[in-house]
Amino acid sequence: MEIRTTTQLANFLQICIDKKSHKNGKLLHAHILRTGLFSDTFLSNRLIELYHKCGRLIKARRVFDKMPHKNLFSWHAMLSAFCKMGDINEAHQLFDKMPERNSVSWNTLISALVHNGSDQKALNLYQKMNQSGFLPTNFTLASVLSACGALKHLTCGCSCHAFATKIGLDNNIYVGNALLAMYAKCGHIQNAVNTFENLPEVNEVSFTTMMGALGETDQINEAFHMFQSMHRIGIQIDAISMSSILGVCARSENNQLGQQFHGLTIRLGIERDLHLSNSLLDMYSKYGDMNSADMVFKNLPEVSVVSWNVMIGGYGQKHEIKKAIECMKSMQRFGLEPDEVTYINMLTACLKSGDIETAHEVFDKMSCPNISSWNALLSGYSQSGKHKETVKLFRRMQFCNVKGDRTTFAVVFSSCASTGLLKGGREIHADSIKIHIDDDLYVASGLIGMYSKCNRINLAKCIFDRINNQNQDQDIVCWNSMMVGLSLNNLDNESFTLFKNLLETKMTPTQFTYATILTSCTKLSSLSHGRQIHAHILKHEKMNQDVVVLSALINMYSKCGDVNDARIVFDKMPTRNTITWNEMIHGYAQNGQGEKGVDLYKQMIKTLKPDAITFIAVLTACSHSGLIDYGVKIFNSMVTDHGVEPLSDHYTCVIDSLGRDGRFDEIEGILDNMDCMNDPIVWEVLLSSCRLHGNVKLGRRAGEELFRLDPCNPAPYVLLANMFSCLERWDDVREIRELMVENKAVKNPGYSWIQHQDGIREFGVDEGYCVSG
């Protein structure tokens, strides 16, 4: 009778477990206690399972603690309860107390650790499992490989792959799919492809993983071929696999292909799946096709927070900030509260539109902004030139006890550099040392840039040397920053030496490296150095086709006086952008071949829209070659034909051109309508022309404007005095000299340099001795 009663109670408890009937389960628990059957281990195990299924973890633990006789199933039931409820600490403590364990025990805790993001702890536990002599199951290996992928721990992943092969689990579908995902997350796509091809059996998860991995690495066509293979061999295409291929479409520029896959979802009858619909929204948003995205959105059977977030992000990408704000308001009207992603998308939308104030308002609404949100706002302030506000925001971030990361410090160091804020930069450097992030290569690069721009090149060198000594894996970004810093501080010889040291390492120069060192060659006026760099560029096919590098080469050859070689580089370029054309036009202007510069400008405007720099280049060409009327014509066409507003540099070119020809009436007409009255270069150019032609009236006006703008600059005093002396107006010369002394405007001695076999040597012109070598 007792066995019959126990069996009946067990059956009733199972019904309560299946239906999650907590109330009826409590009644059965009371009956078990009343009838003295609690000592039955089987019934007690069922009670633990009941309370676990009903979410009553404390009651399950009480039952477990009071059990007079526990078996392995009892421990597993309680361990499983803690793991599934996400109480990993209690699960780990219980695991440590278990009198005996089997592979299920280890697998349960390892899987729970991975599920809760404790990937490193999962790998540590897996190592202990192996040391204890337990063989992993296919589920264990799948969890461990997932942890390796999350940590991008390729070495551990390969070790697991080898062990799976050794025990014959590498052909298991779960392990195989986990291997695919691990290699994909570690960026080793070819290994993933090899694993996929060697799997004896594949399913929709295998194909979905591969399509996602290929799409992530921009192997778009290969991902589409994978989808075709999946369809061809008859594997069912479900909402998840279709979402994966839509993610690939979002990375492709072929929006027609995306529309075809949209049509396939309708034909398969899965278009109403919410996850799939959100993928469609994301695809159209990334295409910038918000009309199609809006059509999909309005036909959604159910709208989630994710759906609204995609729409907000899409409008943000198109800089349609008003629509993004309206989306968030509509979302709240429908009873859905914005989450962290909503606010980040709104924040990004505001920043992309340049609306920093609204971005800050959105940021202030966030209950607990994460580091990504802080970094986004910091970057927004920094990129908009509000560098002091960037530093203030960083201080507020510290006050809120938010720990900055490598991006945070890099942005703040950039702002300190832009404003020459050395004191603040040093304080933030100290903050980076406190949290042990100053050794990060990305942060170190920012520090080098900050100290270089604040004219503390020795401190920049110290950081560079320390980083290189501490890090075996050297980073090209730090080398680039150091070369730029040396060049900024007119140490271009040292910059070139550093480049030679770079070539002795295993690192490959980037386009920025070559552009930087070519700038140093240009500043040194060293054609021989420039030719050496060109020879290195020719050895690298990728660099020899890079538009940035080749534009820098054109600039170097032009400024070193070899405009013919500059044109050879220009003609051989596979692609050219506006910068390239500008450099070549300006090269002709600098080398007295203005007619060729103007001809090149005429060719350019047939295919490309000129910018402000283009007009500076071609107006300079006109000025230097005496093409005065044509220069005035181009100047007048800037706004009317090309929509480019003249800047001070454009006025300078035209005034210089007219001044050389003595056409001062036209210059006065330009001055009366000019917006840049406070630009000293304009007045200096005018004063030089007045001196050349003896125009005292306009020359005196130019001089007075220059005295007003910078009374300590000796150049206008000298020019004006020279003009008066040429006209033998000695009283005026004396007046200018006295004014120069009164305003303490001191003329500095000039220097010259020559290229010698030992390097570049500088000479003081007035003193006649060697200054440096």
Side-chain angles (χ1 to χ4, degrees):
M1 183 69 183
E2 184 181 352
I3 294 176
R4 181 182 169 190
T5 305
T6 303
T7 304
Q8 287 176 340
L9 284 171
N11 290 336
F12 286 141
L13 280 170
Q14 188 61 52
I15 292 170
C16 293
I17 291 169
D18 294 338
K19 294 185 176 182
K20 297 183 181 179
S21 179
H22 175 239
K23 185 176 180 181
N24 291 329
K26 283 176 66 178
L27 293 173
L28 289 171
H29 188 180
H31 178 75
I32 290 169
L33 291 172
R34 192 169 56 250
T35 56
L37 293 174
F38 185 70
S39 59
D40 187 292
T41 303
F42 182 73
L43 289 177
S44 298
N45 288 343
R46 279 284 183 268
L47 283 171
I48 293 172
E49 191 176 356
L50 165 73
Y51 286 125
H52 158 223
K53 291 287 186 182
C54 294
R56 304 299 198 276
L57 196 58
I58 295 175
K59 288 186 178 180
R61 182 61 192 258
R62 283 177 187 166
V63 172
F64 176 80
D65 288 340
K66 290 180 180 180
M67 284 179 68
H69 309 292
K70 300 181 182 74
N71 60 13
L72 186 58
F73 187 86
S74 311
W75 288 91
H76 281 170
M78 198 64 237
L79 181 66
S80 179
F82 280 130
C83 288
K84 289 182 179 177
M85 296 298 288
D87 197 340
I88 299 300
N89 291 331
E90 285 293 333
H92 220 304
Q93 290 176 17
L94 188 74
F95 179 83
D96 291 338
K97 293 176 183 177
M98 289 180 72
E100 60 175 317
R101 306 183 188 109
N102 61 14
S103 59
V104 175
S105 320
W106 293 92
N107 183 60
T108 301
L109 187 54
I110 288 171
S111 298
L113 287 167
V114 173
H115 183 73
N116 284 271
S118 302
D119 299 295
Q120 189 58 57
K121 289 183 179 179
L123 294 184
N124 295 340
L125 193 65
Y126 170 69
Q127 187 177 10
K128 290 180 181 178
M129 176 183 177
N130 288 336
Q131 291 170 352
S132 300
F134 288 95
L135 284 178
T137 66
N138 55 343
F139 298 109
T140 314
L141 285 172
S143 296
V144 171
L145 286 166
S146 175
C148 292
L151 295 169
K152 293 182 171 52
H153 201 324
L154 181 64
T155 304
C156 184
C158 290
S159 177
C160 288
H161 190 175
F163 192 69
T165 304
K166 182 179 178 181
I167 62 176
L169 284 176
D170 57 319
N171 290 332
N172 179 274
I173 189 67
Y174 296 107
V175 176
N177 288 339
L179 278 168
L180 295 179
M182 183 274 294
Y183 282 125
K185 288 178 182 177
C186 290
H188 284 248
I189 302 303
Q190 191 54 52
N191 284 7
V193 172
N194 294 339
T195 303
F196 177 85
E197 291 174 347
N198 290 326
L199 283 176
E201 178 189 357
V202 289
N203 59 11
E204 64 275 9
V205 176
S206 316
F207 278 98
T208 300
T209 303
M210 284 305 302
M211 286 188 292
L214 291 166
E216 285 289 331
T217 53
D218 292 327
Q219 298 183 52
I220 308 299
N221 292 331
E222 289 82 353
F224 288 144
H225 289 321
M226 192 66 68
F227 181 84
Q228 290 171 346
S229 299
M230 177 183 179
H231 186 57
R232 189 168 53 250
I233 64 177
I235 292 180
Q236 183 181 1
I237 299 170
D238 57 10
I240 295 174
S241 55
M242 185 57 76
S243 294
S244 180
I245 198 63
L246 287 172
V248 176
C249 291
R251 290 175 170 270
S252 168
E253 296 180 358
N254 189 347
N255 57 354
Q256 290 183 347
L257 199 57
Q259 291 172 347
Q260 290 174 15
F261 278 108
H262 186 181
L264 182 58
T265 64
I266 297 171
R267 197 173 76 192
L268 294 172
I270 55 176
E271 79 280 4
R272 297 181 72 81
D273 180 89
L274 182 58
H275 179 69
L276 177 59
S277 297
N278 288 337
S279 297
L280 278 169
L281 284 179
D282 182 62
M283 179 189 74
Y284 282 123
S285 297
K286 286 178 178 171
Y287 283 154
D289 185 358
M290 292 309 295
N291 292 329
S292 295
D294 190 55
M295 179 188 69
V296 173
F297 183 80
K298 288 177 179 177
N299 290 315
L300 286 177
E302 177 188 358
V303 179
S304 66
V305 175
V306 175
S307 314
W308 286 104
N309 287 346
V310 173
M311 293 299 291
I312 291 169
Y315 283 124
Q317 289 290 332
K318 293 201 73 177
H319 300 189
E320 296 184 30
I321 184 65
K322 291 182 179 178
K323 288 189 176 181
I325 293 171
E326 183 56 39
C327 268
M328 192 168 82
K329 290 179 179 178
S330 299
M331 172 184 176
Q332 291 172 306
R333 283 199 299 269
F334 279 99
L336 293 172
E337 284 303 313
D339 62 6
E340 195 74 15
V341 177
T342 314
Y343 285 117
I344 289 175
N345 284 355
M346 273 302 308
L347 189 63
T348 305
C350 295
L351 293 172
K352 281 183 176 290
S353 303
D355 191 346
I356 304 295
E357 291 182 6
T358 306
H360 210 135
E361 289 175 11
V362 171
F363 180 83
D364 289 337
K365 290 178 182 177
M366 300 172 75
S367 57
C368 187
N370 61 16
I371 187 64
S372 298
S373 307
W374 284 98
N375 286 345
L377 193 58
L378 283 167
S379 298
Y381 273 116
S382 183
Q383 289 169 9
S384 61
K386 298 184 176 182
H387 300 296
K388 291 183 179 178
E389 289 85 348
T390 305
V391 177
K392 286 180 183 178
L393 185 65
F394 174 74
R395 293 305 184 198
R396 177 184 160 190
M397 177 181 171
Q398 289 183 307
F399 184 75
C400 294
N401 293 320
V402 179
K403 184 179 176 182
D405 62 7
R406 63 202 305 249
T407 303
T408 314
F409 283 96
V411 170
V412 179
F413 285 139
S414 175
S415 284
C416 291
S418 297
T419 53
L421 190 61
L422 180 61
K423 182 182 177 183
R426 279 179 162 169
E427 290 172 355
I428 296 165
H429 184 184
D431 293 330
S432 71
I433 294 172
K434 287 178 185 176
I435 63 172
H436 308 292
I437 203 172
D438 61 311
D439 286 336
D440 180 273
L441 294 170
Y442 195 52
V443 175
S445 178
L447 273 168
I448 292 168
M450 186 271 291
Y451 282 124
S452 297
K453 290 180 181 177
C454 291
N455 300 316
R456 294 294 187 275
I457 192 65
N458 288 333
L459 289 175
K461 287 180 182 178
C462 288
I463 292 167
F464 176 78
D465 292 338
R466 179 173 59 82
I467 288 296
N468 275 342
N469 291 333
Q470 289 180 356
N471 291 276
Q472 292 182 349
D473 297 327
Q474 296 174 322
D475 185 63
I476 190 67
V477 177
C478 284
W479 286 76
N480 288 345
S481 296
M482 194 65 245
M483 282 192 285
V484 170
L486 291 167
S487 183
L488 282 172
N489 287 269
N490 297 318
L491 298 170
D492 296 287
N493 263 327
E494 290 190 36
S495 180
F496 194 83
T497 302
L498 189 64
F499 175 77
K500 289 193 288 187
N501 293 338
L502 168 65
L503 295 178
E504 294 172 2
T505 69
K506 295 180 180 179
M507 288 181 292
T508 303
T510 63
Q511 59 169 205
F512 188 76
T513 314
Y514 283 115
T516 301
I517 199 61
L518 284 168
T519 300
S520 289
C521 295
T522 303
K523 289 174 67 180
L524 290 169
S525 298
S526 177
L527 188 59
S528 61
H529 283 85
R531 291 192 190 281
Q532 290 177 42
I533 303 302
H534 192 179
H536 280 287
I537 292 168
L538 290 172
K539 294 176 183 178
H540 300 282
E541 183 179 352
K542 183 179 178 181
M543 292 300 165
N544 196 31
Q545 295 180 350
D546 187 274
V547 68
V548 174
V549 174
L550 296 180
S551 296
L553 258 179
I554 292 169
N555 179 55
M556 183 276 297
Y557 277 124
S558 298
K559 288 185 176 175
C560 289
D562 193 344
V563 72
N564 292 329
D565 274 0
R567 184 57 190 260
I568 290 171
V569 173
F570 178 85
D571 289 338
K572 289 183 178 180
M573 288 181 69
T575 56
R576 307 183 188 102
N577 60 14
T578 306
I579 295 171
T580 315
W581 287 87
N582 292 349
E583 291 288 4
M584 195 63 246
I585 295 168
H586 198 243
Y588 279 127
Q590 290 172 312
N591 287 274
Q593 299 184 34
E595 296 87 350
K596 290 184 178 180
V598 171
D599 289 340
L600 201 62
Y601 165 76
K602 292 176 181 177
Q603 290 179 39
M604 176 188 175
I605 60 176
K606 292 177 183 178
T607 55
L608 277 177
K609 179 179 173 62
D611 60 10
I613 307 298
T614 312
F615 286 107
I616 292 172
V618 72
L619 288 172
T620 302
C622 292
S623 177
H624 289 186
S625 301
L627 303 173
I628 303 164
D629 292 329
Y630 194 75
V632 172
K633 181 181 177 182
I634 290 175
F635 178 79
N636 292 332
S637 74
M638 285 178 62
V639 176
T640 55
D641 296 346
H642 304 286
V644 178
E645 289 291 336
L647 303 175
S648 60
D649 287 335
H650 303 114
Y651 285 108
T652 300
C653 290
V654 173
I655 289 171
D656 179 50
S657 182
L658 292 170
R660 287 170 188 261
D661 201 38
R663 294 160 65 169
F664 293 106
D665 291 340
E666 293 176 60
I667 289 176
E668 289 190 80
I670 291 172
L671 291 175
D672 292 338
N673 296 298
M674 189 173 67
D675 296 328
C676 46
M677 299 296 287
N678 291 329
D679 191 315
I681 304 298
V682 174
W683 296 109
E684 284 183 10
V685 167
L686 177 59
L687 181 54
S688 295
S689 297
C690 292
R691 173 181 171 274
L692 181 67
H693 292 279
N695 188 325
V696 175
K697 178 186 174 185
L698 203 53
R700 187 179 287 277
R701 177 186 173 186
E704 289 172 353
E705 291 287 349
L706 286 166
F707 300 156
R708 175 181 65 83
L709 292 170
D710 186 3
C712 296
N713 181 10
Y717 298 95
V718 173
L719 285 171
L720 205 56
N722 287 344
M723 180 181 73
F724 287 136
S725 64
C726 289
L727 298 173
E728 298 184 356
R729 297 177 59 159
W730 306 115
D731 290 340
D732 289 326
V733 172
R734 190 181 306 107
E735 179 189 344
I736 296 299
R737 295 290 185 187
E738 290 173 355
L739 187 61
M740 186 175 180
V741 172
E742 182 183 332
N743 290 333
K744 298 179 181 179
V746 180
K747 184 178 183 296
N748 295 320
Y751 290 93
S752 295
W753 69 88
I754 63 169
Q755 186 173 332
H756 188 263
Q757 62 181 1
D758 297 327
I760 304 293
R761 291 184 175 271
E762 292 181 3
F763 291 88
V765 176
D766 291 344
E767 295 84 348
Y769 60 86
C770 178
V771 176
S772 64

